[in-house]
Amino acid sequence: MDSARVSFTLYRVLAYVTGVFLLGLTFVAMPAKYLVGETARFSLVPAPPGLEHWFGPESPLMLFIAMPHGYIYMVYVLVVLWVSLGRRWGAGRTLGVVLAGTVPVLGFVVERRVVRDERAAREADPAPAQPAATG
């Protein structure tokens, strides 16, 4: 397998993994830390009885969702840089793809667009023909 194919496949996988962890962070871990429970900073509702330890400032969800998301996002950024160097993307496109991993759902949309553009470029520029054997 060539390096360009590996980097692009890794980009696609990390785009989805980063997006899923970002959704978990945005809609599960952060609300659990800041909005639910008596000790939460902006307490809107009390924690369910018996599950108080999952909510508030010491929520273990931050450990299980936020920490992995941060590390996965750092790897995502490095892989986007790898892909962009291999495909000679401009700085604007590279920055846009990197920042798409910071907005919930946008990473999925941008990944689909990048794949669509990649397929269109591949169809427009077929593989070079093999040189004819001389005999």
Side-chain angles (χ1 to χ4, degrees):
M1 220 178 210
D2 62 347
S3 175
R5 196 174 204 179
V6 169
S7 66
F8 195 71
T9 302
L10 192 55
Y11 158 71
R12 292 190 68 191
V13 169
L14 283 172
Y16 279 99
V17 172
T18 301
V20 168
F21 269 91
L22 182 59
L23 288 173
L25 178 66
T26 305
F27 296 111
V28 177
M30 297 300 276
K33 180 177 181 176
Y34 293 109
L35 302 177
V36 180
E38 289 76 26
T39 59
R41 182 166 295 165
F42 308 105
S43 181
L44 297 179
V45 295
L51 299 175
E52 292 87 1
H53 67 283
W54 287 99
F55 301 97
E58 301 299 321
S59 174
L61 292 173
M62 295 305 284
L63 177 67
F64 299 134
I65 296 175
M67 293 289 290
H69 166 70
Y71 290 116
I72 291 168
Y73 183 72
M74 287 188 284
V75 174
Y76 169 80
V77 169
L78 293 174
V79 169
V80 168
L81 292 173
W82 184 18
V83 170
S84 71
L85 290 172
R87 289 179 169 60
R88 305 216 185 275
W89 290 351
R93 183 174 187 184
T94 302
L95 185 61
V97 174
V98 165
L99 291 178
T102 65
V103 179
V105 182
L106 185 60
F108 301 121
V109 173
V110 169
E111 186 272 341
R112 292 305 318 153
R113 187 164 290 162
V114 168
V115 169
R116 183 193 66 206
D117 293 347
E118 181 73 16
R119 287 186 180 144
R122 194 176 332 128
E123 290 172 4
D125 184 28
Q130 296 294 331
T134 57

